[in-house]
Amino acid sequence: MALLRAARVVASVAIVCAILGIEFHFHGLRNTTVTYSLLLAILFFAVRWDRLETIAASVVAAMGFLYYFQPPVRSFKAEDPQSYVAVAGFLITAIIVSQTALKARRRAAEALERKRETEQLYELGQAMLASENLETTVYLAINQTIRIFGVSGTAFHVRTSGAIHRAGDSGGIGDQALRAVTASRIARTDPSLQVAMVPIRIGEEVAGSFGLCGGAVSETVLRSIASLLSVVLERGDAATDKLVLANRELEQRHAQVEQQKQVSESLLLNILPGEVADELRGMGMVSPKYFEDVTILFTDFVGFTLATEKLAPEELVEMLHDYFTAFDQIVARYRLEKMKTIGDSYMCLSGLPARNPAHPVDTVLAAFEMLHAVEERARRGGAMEWKVRIGIHTGPVIAGVVGINKFAFDIWGDTVNYSSRMESSSEANRINLSERTYSRVKDFLACEPRGKVLTKDQRTLDMYFASGILPSLLDGSCETPPAAFVRRYNVYFQKDPPAFPAFLVNPGRELETPALIVA
């Protein structure tokens, strides 16, 4: 095992060195590209191997990045202090990801083991109900224990008669040892011989002892088997009801396990996309993935800080809940993926985890519905009339699950930052698009060029306001969705749109429910 660990450490360091050497010879590579490639390699080591390999690879990657890609080149002394921050970032990433993977695998194994034991105990209880005769029931119990739990032999000592009932290869369970357990009322185990014996109690009395050998079962399972056998000794004509009750309790426990499993599944799907949750259940971990093309949407309410000063806390939470519930329904209708809410900001995306070529168009259509939902609530009146800024950008991201106690699915990359800048550079009740998103939706949506806009991080970027459906796709009719729009959508994406905002075709229908299209 130590040799294998050492080999994996050497392999991880060698792979990182190879990546650094290859990328160093490609002159002109951006630091962002180098960082992403190294991060992907380190994440791979974390989910496939263990912490030591990840930390070793992180240290080598960070030092290599300083040595080869930070001026002055071929020196470990960096001119920019932020380079040292990058070293710390790599190390922290390695620790977080490795701990998350290990904990997820351990939890999955424990949950499967508990479920398996419960099902085995339930099956044993059902087998013991097959006969009302005491001898037959004991025979079934010791034989079914071998079949169900995979042990090689079992033995059952009845104190009142002194008889010892055996099944399978139970030579490792001595008669004197069984009687000693009955007399002492103390369980005994011998891990070297894989022998375990436990007293069988009926109330305050010890009725006998039960032993098994040639297999490993937990102490909880062993005592549960002994409890079932104690019921067998009590039965006769009157013990049937007690055994039925014990099996009903097992059925209830089985049902509770299933119910808890369903609750866990529901909670898991609330924090992770379906495909990511399936991978976590099946593999016990989630591998990081690179998505070359997704569209991210951010929203933010104008004047939210002022609202917090004028509204009571419960009123503020109630209003946010109303708006975000409407956003959730829109996101589900357009098959987007909600990421998170931070204060009054709402983040969702499309094109991940299921890759979808129509994601820029679908996201902007959903943004129109979000804007419409906000305007509708303003028209109704109330304590506050909120307005919203919406920003959208399209590009690549890295996605994965991070965290130890409260893990979360998240995405990283410049695309996330650009999307946030689109939102902060937008205007009240407007949908602001980046140039990249505009180039993907301009054949479907009418957009107003804004020219070069200075963002709050002092970058000048081309931006566009989305204003509606292209007039050439409206056909001059009130059909929802317009036939020309659907035809073009089919040609571009080989499918029908998931939904369509009816108010973009006919403003007079703005109070109606947006059109839902069943694919």
Side-chain angles (χ1 to χ4, degrees):
M1 182 62 71
L3 263 169
L4 178 61
R5 171 64 66 84
R8 290 200 305 233
V9 170
V10 171
S12 66
V13 171
I15 291 171
V16 169
C17 289
I19 294 173
L20 287 166
I22 292 170
E23 292 184 338
F24 179 71
H25 286 88
F26 283 94
H27 299 292
L29 281 180
R30 293 193 306 171
N31 286 348
T32 303
T33 304
V34 176
T35 304
Y36 280 162
S37 62
L38 293 174
L39 178 60
L40 285 173
I42 291 169
L43 291 176
F44 173 81
F45 302 145
V47 299
R48 294 300 179 189
W49 291 340
D50 212 334
R51 185 188 311 168
L52 180 60
E53 295 88 332
T54 305
I55 293 176
S58 298
V59 172
V60 172
M63 300 304 293
F65 183 73
L66 284 173
Y67 188 79
Y68 286 112
F69 296 97
Q70 295 297 307
V73 177
R74 297 184 181 274
S75 171
F76 288 109
K77 293 182 178 180
E79 295 176 355
D80 187 352
Q82 292 185 3
S83 299
Y84 298 111
V85 177
V87 176
F90 270 111
L91 295 177
I92 292 171
T93 300
I95 293 171
I96 290 176
V97 173
S98 60
Q99 284 297 315
T100 301
L102 288 172
K103 192 166 186 177
R105 286 200 298 267
R106 184 167 59 253
R107 286 183 175 178
E110 290 174 354
L112 287 174
E113 181 63 22
R114 285 195 298 269
K115 184 175 184 294
R116 184 180 67 83
E117 290 177 350
T118 300
E119 290 173 346
Q120 289 173 330
L121 288 169
Y122 177 75
E123 186 178 356
L124 179 61
Q126 291 293 326
M128 291 169 62
L129 280 175
S131 172
E132 296 183 2
N133 178 272
L134 179 61
E135 294 294 328
T136 304
T137 305
V138 171
Y139 172 82
L140 288 172
I142 58 178
N143 281 276
Q144 291 299 323
T145 299
I146 294 175
R147 182 184 67 82
I148 294 171
F149 291 94
V151 297
S152 61
T154 57
F156 177 32
H157 172 237
V158 182
R159 185 182 63 82
T160 53
S161 65
I164 295 178
H165 303 268
R166 294 181 177 274
D169 183 10
S170 61
I173 309 171
D175 292 355
Q176 293 302 322
L178 271 176
R179 293 190 176 99
V181 169
T182 302
S184 66
R185 304 186 177 193
I186 299 173
R188 294 183 182 181
T189 59
D190 188 342
S192 62
L193 299 176
Q194 289 191 315
V195 174
M197 293 172 283
V198 65
I200 301 170
R201 301 175 183 273
I202 301 177
E204 297 296 325
E205 299 295 325
V206 174
S209 57
F210 172 77
L212 54 82
C213 63
V217 297
S218 67
E219 182 180 347
T220 301
V221 171
L222 187 63
R223 294 188 182 278
S224 297
I225 295 173
S227 297
L228 288 172
L229 291 173
S230 70
V231 175
V232 172
L233 293 178
E234 278 189 308
R235 45 183 303 171
D237 292 336
T240 302
D241 292 340
K242 292 185 178 181
L243 191 56
V244 170
L245 179 60
N247 279 276
R248 284 178 181 171
E249 291 176 354
L250 283 174
E251 288 178 353
Q252 291 174 357
R253 181 180 173 185
H254 184 73
Q256 289 172 355
V257 169
E258 289 298 321
Q259 183 179 7
Q260 291 173 358
K261 179 182 176 182
Q262 293 176 2
V263 171
S264 298
E265 297 248 347
S266 176
L267 291 173
L268 193 62
L269 290 175
N270 276 336
I271 60 175
L272 298 177
E275 293 184 12
V276 176
D278 291 341
E279 183 178 353
L280 182 61
R281 282 193 298 267
M283 305 292 294
M285 59 183 178
V286 178
S287 301
K289 293 180 178 63
Y290 177 78
F291 291 85
E292 68 282 355
D293 192 39
V294 302
T295 297
I296 303 175
L297 179 150
F298 274 95
T299 75
D300 185 70
F301 289 107
V302 179
F304 180 77
T305 303
L306 181 61
T308 61
E309 299 173 356
K310 294 185 177 181
L311 292 175
E314 64 272 15
E315 293 176 328
L316 184 65
V317 172
E318 184 178 352
M319 288 185 69
L320 278 176
H321 176 72
D322 178 45
Y323 281 97
F324 286 166
T325 298
F327 289 0
D328 287 345
Q329 293 169 349
I330 294 167
V331 163
R333 190 157 56 245
Y334 284 88
R335 301 170 191 170
L336 276 58
E337 191 70 47
K338 176 183 178 181
M339 289 299 297
K340 55 190 168 184
T341 60
I342 306 174
D344 65 319
S345 178
Y346 187 99
M347 177 186 178
C348 62
L349 56 81
S350 183
L352 180 161
R355 288 171 168 83
N356 166 28
H359 58 80
V361 175
D362 293 344
T363 304
V364 177
L365 292 178
F368 276 117
E369 288 212 26
M370 290 179 177
L371 178 56
H372 182 68
V374 172
E375 291 173 340
E376 278 295 299
R377 282 157 176 76
R379 278 193 286 270
R380 294 175 194 166
M384 297 290 294
E385 294 184 1
W386 286 359
K387 295 183 179 181
V388 67
R389 288 189 302 265
I390 301 178
I392 301 174
H393 178 61
T394 302
V397 296
I398 293 175
V401 175
V402 296
I404 298 175
N405 295 323
K406 295 183 179 180
F407 59 87
F409 180 75
D410 210 343
I411 57 175
W412 300 270
D414 285 343
T415 301
V416 180
N417 298 329
Y418 276 114
S419 303
S420 178
R421 296 296 175 266
M422 292 303 109
E423 176 273 314
S424 61
S425 301
S426 185
E427 295 179 0
N429 286 357
R430 298 303 300 265
I431 302 169
N432 191 35
L433 310 181
S434 69
E435 185 175 17
R436 184 174 294 179
T437 303
Y438 164 74
S439 66
R440 301 284 291 276
V441 304
K442 62 185 177 62
D443 292 342
F444 294 87
L445 302 168
C447 300
E448 303 171 15
R450 302 180 62 191
K452 301 286 187 181
V453 179
L454 183 66
T455 65
K456 66 180 183 181
D457 57 356
Q458 303 304 309
R459 293 185 181 182
T460 303
L461 303 173
D462 286 313
M463 301 183 191
Y464 300 80
F465 280 141
S467 56
I469 305 300
L470 283 176
S472 60
L473 298 180
L474 291 177
D475 294 335
S477 68
C478 296
E479 182 182 1
T480 303
F485 181 91
V486 174
R487 281 196 302 272
R488 182 166 293 180
Y489 195 98
N490 285 330
V491 170
Y492 277 49
F493 310 122
Q494 306 302 308
K495 63 177 183 175
D496 289 334
F500 189 85
F503 54 84
L504 292 181
V505 177
N506 185 356
R509 296 171 58 187
E510 57 188 6
L511 295 179
E512 296 184 13
T513 303
L516 178 64
I517 300 173
V518 180

